[in-house]
Every structure is written in C-alpha cells, then in structure tokens.
Amino acid sequence: MSGVRVRFAPSPTGPLHIGGARSALFNWLFARRNGGTFIVRIEDTDLERSSRESEQNILSSLRWLGLDWDEGVEAGGPCGPYRQTDRLELYRGYARQLTEAGLAYRCYCSEEELARERERLMAGGELPGYTGKCRDLCDADRARLESQGRKPVIRFRVPEGKAVVINDLVRGEVSFECSGIGDFIIVKSDGIPTYNFAVVVDDRSMDITHVIRAEEHLSNTPRQVLIYRALNWPLPEFAHVSLILGKDRSKMSKRHGATSIQQYMEMGYLPEALVNFLALLGWSPEGEEEIMTLDEIKDQFSLDRVAKNPAVFDLDKLNWLNGHYIRQAPTERLTDMAIPYLEQKGYIARDVSADQYRWLQTVVATVKNYLSNLSEITGYVEMFFADTVEPENEEAIAILAQEQVPAVLNLFREKLEEAPEISEEIVKNILKGLGRELGLNGKKVFMPLRVAITGRVRGPELHQVVAALGLEKTVKRLEKGML
Ligand code: GLU
C-alpha cells in the first residue's frame, strides 16, 4: 500500500457532533487533496457506552455531509474488519508479544488497592500515577494472585527517565516526560484493549500515514508513540487540530447551541453550509473569500493553514452562511425541505397535490431571503395560510387608521379585480401606478397595503405576497382592512 492513508475513528458513544465532524472533514479533505484513501474505523471498545445506534447516526451524518469513505465499516477493504470489537484477536496477539518481551506485564492490583495508592501519593504531594507494584512479579507471585481469583490487566512498561518528542504538523515540537506517564493499561481484565493500544495496532495495520484528530488526544500521543517504539513500528505523522470553543471562549458544549450534526439537519441547515462552516473552524483559505464549496475547499486544503489557536464556534456565522446557501438553492429543493415543518405546524396535510406543491413553491420563493434555516419558515408564512390576519402591534394599527387608507385599499382591490391574472409582474405594475393615481407618496400606499394583507409592518415583497395569496384571499383582507 502506498500514498496518503488517513482515518476517522469515532467511538460510537453518541451522535456525530461538531468536533467529530470537523475531524472527519479534515481527514476527508486531506485524503482527497492528496489522492489518498479515507478510512472510517469504529472504535467501540467501550462496551458499555458504545451502540450500533450511535454508529448508524455517525455514518448517516457523514453521508449527509457528503463525506464518502473508501475503506471502512460498510465499505469494506483490504484491512478489515473495521470495527474494533471484530479485531480482538489481533490486539491479543500483540499484547502477548509485548508481554513475552518484557515490555508489558500483568498487573493484579484491584480497584480498591489502586484507589488507596492514589490517595496515599496525593496526600504526600506526589502525582497519582501507578507505582509499578506488579512490575517485577515472579511466576510464583502470579500463580498465587491468580489462585485468589484475581484477573489481571496488562500494563505497558514505560521506560524510565526518557522524554517523548512529537513533531506535530500543526503544533510543532511537543515534548512529554515519561516520568509523568506511569505504566498504563493496554488490555483490561476482560481482555478488551484500551483506546491507546488498539489505536496504535489499527493505525499500523491499516497503514495510516497521517493521524489527524482533535487536540484532546495530544496528551494520549506519547503513550501511543511508546507502543510504536516497543513494537518497532514506524510512526505516522501526527496533526492535532485545536479545540472548538464557544463564543464565550469556554469549551464548546450544549450551552452554545446544538452539538450534533443531526440536530442541524433537523433544524433545516443545508449540508453544504455546514461543511463550509466546519472547514473554517481551524482552517483558513488563502484568499478573502470564505464562501466555498466542498470541492473548492478540497482544491486548497493543506495542514499548513490549520491554526494552532482554538477555533471559535460562531452560530451567527453559520446562520449567515446557511442563509447564503438557502438563497442560492433551487426553490424545489427548499420546498421539499420546508414541507415537513409546514405539515408539523398544521398548515398543510401530508399529501400535497401537484397544484398545492406549485403554490408552495411560490410561498417558499417569497420568504426564502429571510431564512437562516428551513425550520424558521413557519414563522414567516402564517400570512399565506391563515384566512385573516390581525395587525401585529400598535404601529400596525396606527398605519391602518390613517385617513388615506380606505381609498388606497379600495383602488388596489379594483385594479386587482380588473387584472387578467394575479401574477407578480402584473401586481408589481398595479402597485407602481397606485401612488400616482392617488397623488400619494410610496409609504402612504405600501404600508397600509402591507399591514392589511400581511398584518406586519415589514416582510417580503408585496407583489410576491399578493401573487402567492391569490385574488380571493387578498380581497378578503383588503375588505377587512377597510372596516
Ligand atoms: N475513538 C477516538 C475518539 O473518538 C479516536 C481518536 C483518534 O482519532 O485517535 O475520540
């Protein structure tokens, strides 16, 4: 195998969240930019918290974002299986090899013993690492402990007095003292490997060339490097992408808004807006233009332009980008996306007739400029579905009370009734002529019409609204406005 090989290796303990999606995206971009291979591997060794449901959520979110993978779960490939619980034999083999070479050892300490040990160390002002109690047990010791029914874990023997230096492609040189690490567990007492061990075995056996992941794994990297060395394996390159913070600079959490990709999908965000936004969380293009398609980002992507400092999650920016993509999107696509929200609100029935669908397209086209996501549409379209509307506030009531109002509403109604059809173009022309005919300025004409027809003092273009409402509904509202 040759060329760039990267992987996204989620633990299926919950839905795909913003941070995970960004890691997946950066790996995908790096693979696609370099003609490499993108692999999706499932790290499900946390048996209690992992579920197939989360795995499915992660995979479907990746697909929705447009991030396809060349090898991995569901795709297959030469390095499978791609789910860690299906690879347990492989880890056991390497654990045995390390143990036989004296580079790892069986540890029989119980949870209680370890907790007491930690307390003792902390009380003496020391770091609460493992003290190496089982490091040098002889065969007889082990036999005695096993006869007590103790089930061992396997610990990695961390070499003393050394430092591990990592040349991270994003963070530069980072050094860790081995003394701060302590012999760590590589296989738990139930025979399941820990993350740090399984990840090394998998990255090596899948020939991963670049490990691109979130900064929170930087502190795990020295442990992983020690395992590579113990097994005499070459190291991949590492690139740790900085944390994502909320606008208040604290670590991104639910407080800062929705965290899972599915939630954004359900709120009516477009995947192209989300990938554009995610790419800018830590990476920046060379030019000024930030609105970019996945393809355009791919053509420019490099790890050199991934920032060391934390990325800030700015929901306003996502809304701005999404609004942009909504305005660009074909009306039919937006209408399809809008239908479930309209149905849920009770504005339409499940089965939409062809005529109604055409009409819905006009409604969507009329309000789309106002939306930053599709679920917001219900807040803008009441005027199209309600039989009558009420002035929204004092200002609106005052507008309808002006003396010219009956004349304006009346003339508009007459003109509409005389018109051959109620198209946007025709209504626009009628509106243009009204002020001239009545000798009134624009505001005195449009504001009362807007309030009478929509109940609002601001909103979409009036000619579009009237065309979408049709003659009958518009006339009803004009009549009501004259009362
Ligand atoms: N399973 C780890 C996680 O979801 C992957 C870390 C890595 O990429 O090495 O955080």
Side-chain angles (χ1 to χ4, degrees):
M1 264 176 267
S2 62
V4 161
R5 289 176 61 83
V6 290
R7 82 316 189 262
F8 174 53
S11 302
T13 54
L16 182 66
H17 51 78
I18 293 284
R22 190 213 27 194
S23 295
L25 174 64
F26 281 20
N27 278 287
W28 184 92
L29 288 166
F30 190 72
R32 295 291 172 260
R33 172 85 179 107
N34 295 291
T37 304
F38 177 52
I39 299 163
V40 173
R41 177 175 77 222
I42 296 293
E43 302 205 327
D44 59 347
T45 54
D46 184 339
L47 303 182
E48 256 166 41
R49 294 174 60 229
S50 297
S51 74
R52 286 295 170 105
E53 192 193 339
S54 296
E55 181 181 315
Q56 277 313 311
N57 175 290
I58 292 168
L59 299 181
S60 64
S61 297
L62 289 175
R63 290 194 177 103
W64 181 73
L65 290 169
L67 307 179
D68 55 335
W69 55 101
D70 313 300
E71 283 178 33
V73 276
E74 297 189 359
C79 305
Y82 292 90
R83 196 180 285 111
Q84 288 188 327
T85 48
D86 295 332
R87 299 169 65 78
L88 297 178
E89 275 314 307
L90 187 70
Y91 313 123
R92 279 187 196 132
Y94 287 114
R96 209 174 307 124
Q97 185 181 324
L98 287 173
T99 316
E100 280 165 9
L103 297 165
Y105 58 90
R106 283 191 275 280
C107 163
Y108 296 85
C109 296
S110 68
E111 284 298 330
E112 299 76 46
E113 284 164 345
L114 291 171
R116 270 204 302 278
E117 193 70 12
R118 269 196 300 273
E119 265 172 40
R120 191 182 61 75
L121 287 171
M122 275 165 34
E126 286 181 66
L127 284 175
Y130 180 65
T131 53
K133 199 168 158 199
C134 295
R135 258 190 163 201
D136 301 307
L137 297 179
C138 62
D139 285 348
D141 294 333
R142 274 196 288 273
R144 180 176 46 81
L145 289 160
E146 273 172 33
S147 72
Q148 293 169 6
R150 294 195 184 219
K151 276 205 171 313
V153 299
I154 300 180
R155 283 188 190 270
F156 184 83
R157 191 185 293 272
V158 174
E160 277 163 55
K162 288 206 180 128
V164 176
V165 179
I166 296 154
N167 270 312
D168 192 273
L169 294 179
V170 175
R171 326 213 73 80
E173 198 177 286
V174 194
S175 173
F176 295 87
E177 288 302 324
C178 283
S179 55
I181 298 178
D183 294 353
F184 55 93
I185 299 175
I186 57 173
V187 180
K188 291 177 274 187
S189 58
D190 57 3
I192 305 290
T194 56
Y195 156 69
N196 277 316
F197 183 49
V199 79
V200 170
V201 171
D202 286 346
D203 284 344
R204 178 67 211 130
S205 62
M206 294 180 186
D207 228 347
I208 299 300
T209 55
H210 296 74
V211 170
I212 305 169
R213 62 187 171 197
E215 189 186 345
E216 63 204 13
H217 287 295
L218 184 63
S219 59
N220 286 319
T221 311
R223 291 180 181 79
Q224 296 170 17
V225 168
L226 289 172
I227 299 172
Y228 278 101
R229 284 193 195 150
L231 288 163
N232 261 324
W233 285 343
L235 291 179
E237 298 283 359
F238 290 102
H240 286 92
V241 184
S242 57
L243 293 178
I244 302 175
L245 304 181
K247 252 185 156 174
D248 59 359
R249 301 246 140 203
S250 66
K251 193 168 181 245
M252 170 82 184
S253 74
K254 291 203 174 92
R255 278 186 303 118
H256 299 106
T259 50
S260 78
I261 297 301
Q262 188 182 346
Q263 283 172 299
Y264 286 96
M265 187 181 86
E266 286 170 358
M267 284 189 278
Y269 284 85
L270 304 181
E272 58 268 42
L274 215 54
V275 287
N276 192 162
F277 175 71
L278 290 170
L280 299 174
L281 283 177
W283 174 81
S284 56
E286 275 176 40
E288 295 281 295
E289 185 56 60
E290 289 201 307
I291 296 184
M292 300 171 83
T293 64
L294 191 55
D295 241 19
E296 288 165 345
I297 298 168
K298 178 200 80 186
D299 290 340
Q300 279 199 29
F301 187 80
S302 82
L303 291 173
D304 301 345
R305 298 197 61 86
V306 172
K308 253 192 210 177
N309 46 331
V312 175
F313 181 89
D314 180 353
L315 190 57
D316 294 334
K317 185 165 182 178
L318 172 59
N319 285 338
W320 169 74
L321 274 171
N322 205 49
H324 165 84
Y325 284 101
I326 287 178
R327 289 191 293 280
Q328 305 278 309
T331 306
E332 200 174 320
R333 177 177 173 210
L334 298 176
T335 307
D336 293 341
M337 287 180 74
I339 283 173
Y341 306 109
L342 300 175
E343 189 198 326
Q344 200 183 22
K345 184 84 182 172
Y347 285 151
I348 56 171
R350 176 157 300 232
D351 295 317
V352 174
S353 70
D355 274 352
Q356 199 182 15
Y357 185 76
R358 263 193 300 280
W359 176 72
L360 283 175
Q361 285 191 303
T362 344
V363 171
V364 170
T366 305
V367 299
K368 71 174 185 183
N369 289 356
Y370 297 88
L371 306 177
S372 50
N373 66 51
L374 263 298
S375 69
E376 286 176 358
I377 196 164
T378 53
Y380 289 90
V381 297
E382 192 191 356
M383 64 178 87
F384 296 103
F385 294 95
D387 271 338
T388 55
V389 290
E390 296 298 328
E392 62 172 337
N393 52 24
E394 291 299 317
E395 188 188 352
I397 293 171
I399 289 170
L400 275 191
Q402 293 167 351
E403 58 176 339
Q404 85 286 9
V405 171
V408 172
L409 302 190
N410 219 353
L411 186 60
F412 186 50
R413 174 191 157 168
E414 271 174 36
K415 299 271 175 199
L416 288 179
E417 282 173 342
E418 284 164 13
E421 57 166 342
I422 307 295
S423 69
E424 287 187 20
E425 215 30 55
I426 289 177
V427 177
K428 200 172 183 175
N429 284 329
I430 294 177
L431 285 167
K432 259 194 213 153
L434 282 186
R436 220 177 311 124
E437 211 167 317
L438 292 164
L440 294 168
N441 70 23
K443 213 171 162 198
K444 289 214 151 139
V445 174
F446 296 131
M447 290 306 281
L449 285 176
R450 177 177 292 289
V451 174
I453 295 167
T454 70
R456 311 274 183 99
V457 290
R458 265 171 289 277
E461 297 281 355
L462 208 50
H463 61 275
Q464 286 184 308
V465 177
V466 171
L469 270 176
L471 183 63
E472 205 183 318
K473 269 195 175 164
T474 309
V475 166
K476 244 197 209 159
R477 293 181 192 188
L478 292 171
E479 282 170 349
K480 183 166 176 266
M482 282 183 268
L483 293 179

